[in-house]
Amino acid sequence: MTTTAPYAFDSDTASTSIGDHVYELELTDRWNTPAGTANGGYLLAVCLQALRGEVPQPDLLSVSAHYLRPGTPGPARVVTETARIGRRTGTGAATLLRDDKEIIRVLATFSDLAAAEGQTIELGVAPELPAPQDCVDPVAGRNKVAKTGIGERVEFRMPALRGFWGGELGRATTWEFWMRFTDGRDADPIALAALVDAAPPVIFDHGVRASSTIELTAHIRRRPAPGWLACRVTTKHLVNGFHEEDFELWDSTGVLVAQSRQLAIVP
């Protein structure tokens, strides 16, 4: 059932069960992009919050989502299906519909990340960033990301304003920065899956001004510690109007908590 939540992410992604495997909610414009459509990470989280109640495992482990149509504010339904419940993992599917049209299809696996154990080899390193208080807000007073919709829900800190963030082309393939919810909500596994799609794509540093997700896959590696998330986003290939985006999230203790790759189209 829908519950009253203290944070925007929780209240805006909550839905009410209206029957077996069917949920309803009102999609809000509070997570709209500057293009006027719902952010893809927000739509993904709506599906995952509904699905989470149908599997016994507490944490999102992996998810793959295909975006079929833009999401817009208004009444919507989530239809879920449980595929398999095992000892360590549970898998299910969810579809978000608006005006009886499919917006996004999701397949997700849940586990208990607190109980996870096994061989670990970590070959990556966290972004080397100054403390958030020593960085700059790339949005404040610069109109590069509108302070409406998702621009009010998520905030960033960067070591310096370069390229796109400074009002020019930087031709970067990678950006590194801090990110968190503006209302102080700490991230959990489902929030991590939303946040990997919350930042402007690095392809904007090459003069591209719009990008829409076609498919997104996220892997959650650990439950994150409270605080800011260190981000690394990379794009190396724009081919025939399609580009990839790789995203890493590292928590405030310096450990990797989420990875994603998405394929997006430039209109």
Side-chain angles (χ1 to χ4, degrees):
M1 295 179 63
T2 300
T3 58
T4 301
Y7 298 113
F9 182 77
D10 300 296
S11 59
D12 293 347
T13 59
S15 56
T16 299
S17 174
I18 59 170
D20 290 342
H21 310 294
V22 181
Y23 302 81
E24 66 177 14
L25 77 155
E26 190 83 9
L27 294 177
T28 174
D29 63 359
R30 297 205 298 173
W31 299 86
N32 273 12
T33 69
T37 56
N39 168 258
Y42 164 60
L43 298 175
L44 175 58
V46 166
C47 293
L48 292 171
Q49 297 285 32
L51 192 56
R52 178 168 60 176
E54 303 207 353
V55 295
Q57 290 81 6
D59 301 312
L60 178 67
L61 178 65
S62 69
V63 60
S64 181
H66 285 261
Y67 293 82
L68 309 179
R69 292 176 178 85
T72 56
R77 287 183 293 121
V78 180
V79 179
T80 63
E81 176 188 359
T82 300
R84 180 182 182 274
I85 303 300
R87 183 176 62 85
R88 294 186 63 183
T89 63
T91 300
T95 301
L96 175 66
L97 300 103
R98 174 90 166 85
D99 294 329
D100 292 324
K101 295 180 180 178
E102 293 186 42
I103 304 301
I104 175 177
R105 288 192 183 187
V106 171
L107 183 66
T109 295
F110 292 74
S111 187
D112 185 348
L113 294 175
E117 59 183 12
Q119 184 179 14
T120 299
I121 300 174
E122 183 57 84
L123 304 178
V125 294
E128 294 186 8
L129 297 167
Q133 63 268 26
D134 297 324
C135 293
V136 295
D137 182 346
V139 178
R142 294 177 176 86
N143 199 33
K144 299 307 293 186
V145 180
K147 277 288 189 180
T148 58
I150 193 171
E152 292 182 306
R153 310 274 82 81
V154 180
E155 62 179 330
F156 309 93
R157 295 292 184 272
M158 305 190 81
L161 295 179
R162 296 189 176 96
F164 164 79
W165 297 100
E168 57 189 30
L169 298 185
R171 306 296 182 186
T173 59
T174 299
W175 287 339
E176 295 181 344
F177 51 90
W178 296 104
M179 177 170 58
R180 69 178 180 181
F181 290 118
T182 56
D183 61 8
R185 186 197 193 277
D186 288 314
D188 58 17
I190 288 179
L192 293 176
L195 287 171
V196 297
D197 193 46
V202 70
I203 199 68
F204 283 9
D205 214 19
H206 295 258
V208 173
R209 288 295 174 261
S211 174
S212 299
T213 305
I214 294 175
E215 187 273 342
L216 184 150
T217 295
H219 298 157
I220 310 304
R221 312 312 296 264
R222 298 174 177 92
R223 293 179 182 175
W228 287 90
L229 296 162
C231 309
R232 179 182 291 123
V233 57
T234 301
T235 293
K236 294 183 178 179
H237 309 281
L238 171 60
V239 179
N240 296 327
F242 298 92
H243 71 91
E244 93 290 351
E245 180 175 279
D246 294 320
F247 212 110
E248 296 175 0
L249 288 175
W250 302 71
D251 74 7
S252 57
T253 69
V255 300
L256 180 72
V257 291
Q259 299 165 276
S260 73
R261 165 165 280 198
Q262 68 171 274
L263 180 68
I265 186 171
V266 174

